[in-house]
Amino acid sequence: MSNLLDWSDLEIALAIAEAGSLSGAAIALGKQQPTISTRLNQLEGRLGVKLFIRSRSGTKLTTIGREVIEKAKIMQITALEIERSTQGKNSQEEGIVTFHCTDGLATYWIAPKLADFLIAYPNINLEIDTGENPPSVNSNQADLMLQFDDAKEMDAIAVPVGWLHYIPFTTKEYLNKCGAPNDVYDALKLRHLKLRNAQHRRESWDPSIISMDELITYSMTTNNSSVYFEALRAGAGIAFLPSMFATIDSNIVYIDFGISVKLQFWIVYNRGLRKIAKNKAVLKWLKSIFSPSKHPYFRQEFICPTEFSAVEVIRPTEQQMKSK
């Protein structure tokens, strides 16, 4: 029987240390919590020491546990360096590429364009992760990721790709039932939907929009972009969406208050992965589908949806003038 430790058990210990709990490690690794607990017990039994102190609030490393985790991190880095150095010599566009993205962009922008990518690169298996917690590109959790700031881990690269402009949309159905707002204050009385997303960086919003947000009583709040958009489509109320959604459904209506929330987004990847053919192919494709030169709604300056779609626009100030 081999006396060597099972590296996968050490990976589980690393995940527990990073997540701070068995449940968090289970989510990060895509495993069941009982499996994580069993594997940790086996590792501690083999080592003859306790690596973690477990409590209802989570897990805390013991002194020997911290030493083991530090050595495991070195092993992980070494393993990744070996993998990346060998992959970099593979000029074939083939294999698995993991890409992390928000669920809204993945569902309504990336997925509809996948067919062309898969035809062009039939030997690449693209894994799209839409979990709320951004992964690490330095620990093999993802090859590339899209994020709404340029913060990055050491030895990672953040490439600016484009901008999203969040503006208020509703539907003709909802306006027919509740009436078009005459001004911003009138609109505050209508039903509003809210998307709760940690990546939307609320602190970067214009103060006037934050003030408006605080005055709104939301009828529905969700952390799922599909639920958010489909509720809007069904006539549930008003929702802030990227302007590009005007190209997805021409039945929605843009309420032009003269306000928008602008968020820049980046694609982040590990420096060591940039020469790998399969990753270069995915990065090139992602840059093309988010290209501001091809798609005006990804430009830094706001472009009115009427410039690139058939969406209807109402302007509350004009509504007010008509009512007089």
Side-chain angles (χ1 to χ4, degrees):
M1 180 178 175
S2 172
N3 291 320
L4 293 175
L5 285 173
D6 187 335
W7 167 240
S8 62
D9 287 340
L10 289 173
E11 280 188 307
I12 286 174
L14 275 170
I16 296 169
E18 290 172 358
S21 67
L22 297 181
S23 59
I27 293 171
L29 296 173
K31 298 181 182 295
Q32 298 296 317
Q33 185 171 330
T35 301
I36 297 294
S37 180
T38 299
R39 296 285 292 278
L40 176 60
N41 288 336
Q42 290 173 347
L43 176 61
E44 289 180 329
R46 180 158 190 153
L47 294 174
V49 295
K50 282 290 182 185
L51 302 178
F52 297 92
I53 299 171
R54 291 170 242 190
S55 67
R56 290 182 179 177
S57 60
T59 57
K60 183 179 179 182
L61 282 166
T62 62
T63 300
I64 188 66
R66 282 194 294 271
E67 293 178 12
V68 170
I69 292 300
E70 287 305 312
K71 289 180 171 60
K73 286 180 179 178
I74 295 171
M75 293 172 65
Q76 183 185 54
I77 292 170
T78 302
L80 289 173
E81 287 176 349
I82 292 171
E83 182 178 355
R84 288 166 183 167
S85 65
T86 54
Q87 284 182 333
K89 293 178 174 60
N90 182 0
S91 60
Q92 300 299 311
E93 294 165 337
E94 59 183 18
I96 298 172
V97 177
T98 303
F99 172 60
H100 178 271
C101 181
T102 57
D103 68 302
L105 288 176
T107 301
Y108 294 104
W109 191 253
I110 294 175
K113 295 167 176 55
L114 266 178
D116 289 340
F117 173 82
L118 296 177
I119 291 170
Y121 302 100
N123 296 318
I124 291 180
N125 177 358
L126 186 58
E127 293 186 351
I128 301 176
D129 169 41
T130 61
E132 281 199 75
N133 297 319
S136 166
V137 295
N138 282 352
S139 60
N140 234 21
Q141 294 175 349
D143 296 300
L144 305 108
M145 60 185 289
L146 185 148
Q147 64 183 39
F148 288 91
D149 60 53
D150 61 351
K152 57 186 177 63
E153 302 170 276
M154 187 179 297
D155 209 31
I157 296 173
V159 179
V161 179
W163 301 75
L164 294 181
H165 299 268
Y166 285 78
I167 55 178
F169 285 102
T170 189
T171 60
K172 296 172 187 176
E173 178 187 6
Y174 181 70
L175 292 176
N176 289 337
K177 287 180 181 178
C178 302
N182 290 321
D183 52 37
V184 173
Y185 299 103
D186 196 20
L188 295 177
K189 302 171 188 175
L190 299 177
R191 282 204 305 270
H192 289 260
L193 316 175
K194 186 172 186 176
L195 178 64
R196 187 178 65 252
N197 189 316
Q199 288 210 53
H200 283 173
R201 300 179 64 237
R202 191 173 183 274
E203 70 278 2
S204 68
W205 295 8
D206 183 276
S208 63
I209 297 177
I210 293 177
S211 298
M212 182 188 296
D213 180 59
E214 291 172 347
L215 291 172
I216 294 172
T217 299
Y218 288 97
S219 300
M220 185 205 76
T221 302
T222 180
N223 65 348
N224 185 290
S225 297
S226 298
V227 171
Y228 185 63
F229 185 49
E230 295 306 324
L232 168 73
R233 270 176 156 172
I238 297 173
F240 267 75
L241 291 166
S243 58
M244 68 170 206
F245 273 78
T247 67
I248 295 170
D249 189 340
S250 61
N251 291 317
I252 61 177
V253 178
Y254 166 39
I255 308 177
D256 184 4
F257 294 126
I259 58 174
S260 64
V261 175
K262 180 172 67 175
L263 293 179
Q264 189 174 13
F265 58 97
W266 286 258
I267 292 178
V268 179
Y269 54 94
N270 182 274
R271 190 179 304 274
L273 297 180
R274 61 182 171 175
K275 294 182 180 180
I276 299 174
K278 60 180 181 177
N279 294 338
K280 286 172 65 177
V282 175
L283 180 60
K284 179 182 177 182
W285 174 68
L286 289 171
K287 285 182 176 180
S288 71
I289 66 173
F290 285 110
S291 170
S293 61
K294 294 180 182 177
H295 309 293
Y297 26 86
F298 295 135
R299 294 177 189 168
Q300 182 172 359
E301 68 276 15
F302 173 68
I303 306 297
C304 182
T306 54
E307 297 294 317
F308 53 79
S309 75
V311 74
E312 183 180 333
V313 179
I314 66 165
R315 294 180 171 83
T317 52
E318 294 177 4
Q319 293 292 323
Q320 190 174 37
M321 292 292 290
K322 290 177 183 178
S323 65
K324 290 183 179 180

